[in-house]
Amino acid sequence: MAQESYPEDLLYHAEHDWARIAESGAEAVLGITWYAQDALGEVVFFDPPSVGTVLAKDAPYAEVESVKAVSDVVAPLSGEVVAVNESLAENPAQINDDPYGEGWLVRIRLSDPSERESLLDAAAYRAGLT
């Protein structure tokens, strides 16, 4: 499992999801935080949305199943899914091993880039965990 971390270059949602916004501001990669994967335990299955699915900010868009529970993944931003991390079908444990790298979940084309203003920076997210 990965060591606890909350990279400064990401934006965070209170439901323990993160977004890495592309420099262009048009797309974002989404995933779950170290805290979320740690609370879940060993991830054994990821049920992603299909490419082309439209995500709504604050609404569930996928499920992550662990040895302990099945949890909804909440969208930190709205947009259309343009890519799904296909490697998670064979190796869902990447979510535990590298939640901010190889364990990313989906890439979306943002429909409302201003939504990023409602997300937390790393310090505010960490403060909310205590």
Side-chain angles (χ1 to χ4, degrees):
M1 283 213 185
Q3 292 292 318
E4 182 173 9
S5 67
Y6 305 100
E8 297 290 330
D9 65 321
L10 304 179
L11 294 173
Y12 297 87
H13 187 277
E15 293 293 324
H16 312 296
D17 305 283
W18 58 262
R20 178 179 290 118
I21 309 230
E23 284 188 33
S24 69
E27 290 188 349
V29 174
L30 309 180
I32 65 170
T33 65
W34 181 92
Y35 179 88
Q37 68 77 32
D38 186 60
L40 280 167
E42 181 186 350
V43 175
V44 296
F45 183 72
F46 171 57
D47 185 18
S50 301
V51 170
T53 299
V54 176
L55 309 186
K57 182 181 184 327
D58 302 325
Y61 71 90
E63 287 185 344
V64 175
E65 183 177 335
S66 73
V67 294
K68 293 198 249 181
V70 176
S71 296
D72 286 332
V73 181
V74 174
L77 298 165
S78 301
E80 179 184 350
V81 176
V82 296
V84 172
N85 187 347
E86 301 290 345
S87 70
L88 297 179
E90 295 295 319
N91 187 9
Q94 288 177 339
I95 294 169
N96 297 116
D97 297 338
D98 190 9
Y100 305 112
E102 296 299 315
W104 66 276
L105 304 180
V106 298
R107 189 171 75 241
I108 64 170
R109 182 177 308 108
L110 298 173
S111 57
D112 184 358
S114 70
E115 289 179 341
R116 70 187 291 172
E117 303 306 319
S118 69
L119 298 178
L120 306 168
D121 65 17
Y125 177 74
R126 277 193 308 271
L129 296 176
T130 57

